[in-house]
Amino acid sequence: MENLGIYIFLFILGSAIGSFLNVVIYRIPLNKSIISPPSSCPSCGERIKPYHNIPIFGWIILGGKCANCKEKISIRYPIIEFLSGLLAVAIYYKLKTLDIFFVIDFAIFATLLALSIIDIDYKAVPDSLNLLALTLSIFSSPDIIENLKNALILMGGMSAIRFYISYFIKREAMGEGDIIVAGTMGGLLGIKLSLIAIFLASFIAIFPSIYQRVTKKELEIPFVPFLAFATFIVWYFNDFFLELWRSLYG
């Protein structure tokens, strides 16, 4: 029962942070303050009342519409709040502790979630959030120097690949934001697990590419969401993936 109480608390706290992430996702690309003014309806500008701003349930109570102008509010808002709450629970379930590294790991993945949504919307990510995730990843374990080295190696490797593809193959394979995310992966996962995560992200990204070819639709597919998702999967199941690496490469 004690653990259940912790999980419920963390889900509520995580979903509340997810509500703040919604503000970050909307305002930072527009160069607006994330502190003021208070949250308001994007359609009519009416300030959202505190009891309407309750994570997840506020959207349900309002029926997905603004209380003032009745304009539809995207279901993405409660989904991000739910995912953020789920992140807090999943990270605690893995770490079994609420120490500083829980806070750092949750902050990294919450930031990656925000970056993923922004990349989907704008096909670009803000350096402020990207560098925040990178900085946090360097402090994600006590071995700060090793984490920094791994981050720099991954960023250097991805930069070299980007230069090779753009210069010799004449294609834009990845953006500068992807390179910083790779650095975050290096700091958080280390070299071996980062390579696995990049491969996994590339594999998952094949499916929307196939869809694009089949439907003949021109889609600009952002890569940060795939990198973020693969990073979480590999981080969460790191023992399995390390064993997989050993079985393949000794």
Side-chain angles (χ1 to χ4, degrees), residues 90-91 93-95 105 109 140-141 185 188-190 192-194 196-197 200 230-247:
I91 291 169
Y93 184 80
K94 177 176 173 61
L95 299 181
D105 288 339
F109 286 115
S140 61
S141 77
M185 295 167 72
L188 180 66
L189 302 176
K192 294 177 182 178
L193 290 178
S194 293
I196 293 173
L200 180 60
T231 299
F232 181 77
I233 294 297
V234 173
W235 175 84
Y236 198 85
F237 299 103
N238 63 323
D239 290 337
F240 167 78
F241 285 106
L242 281 173
E243 188 59 36
L244 178 63
W245 180 279
R246 293 189 195 101
S247 65

Side-chain angles (χ1 to χ4, degrees), residues 210-228:
I210 293 174
Y211 172 81
Q212 182 180 14
R213 287 179 177 272
V214 170
T215 59
K216 308 295 184 183
K217 291 183 179 179
E218 287 295 326
L219 300 174
E220 191 176 352
I221 302 170
F223 196 40
V224 169
F226 298 104
L227 289 173

Side-chain angles (χ1 to χ4, degrees), residues 119 123-125 127 130 154-155 158-163 165-166 171-183 220-224 227:
D119 200 25
K123 307 302 181 290
V125 291
D127 288 339
N130 219 352
L154 260 294
M155 289 176 70
M158 290 288 274
S159 297
I161 293 172
R162 181 174 183 262
F163 172 79
I165 294 176
S166 61
R171 287 185 61 186
E172 189 66 33
M174 65 187 80
E176 294 178 1
D178 301 335
I179 294 172
I180 300 176
V181 173
E220 191 176 352
I221 302 170
F223 196 40
V224 169
L227 289 173

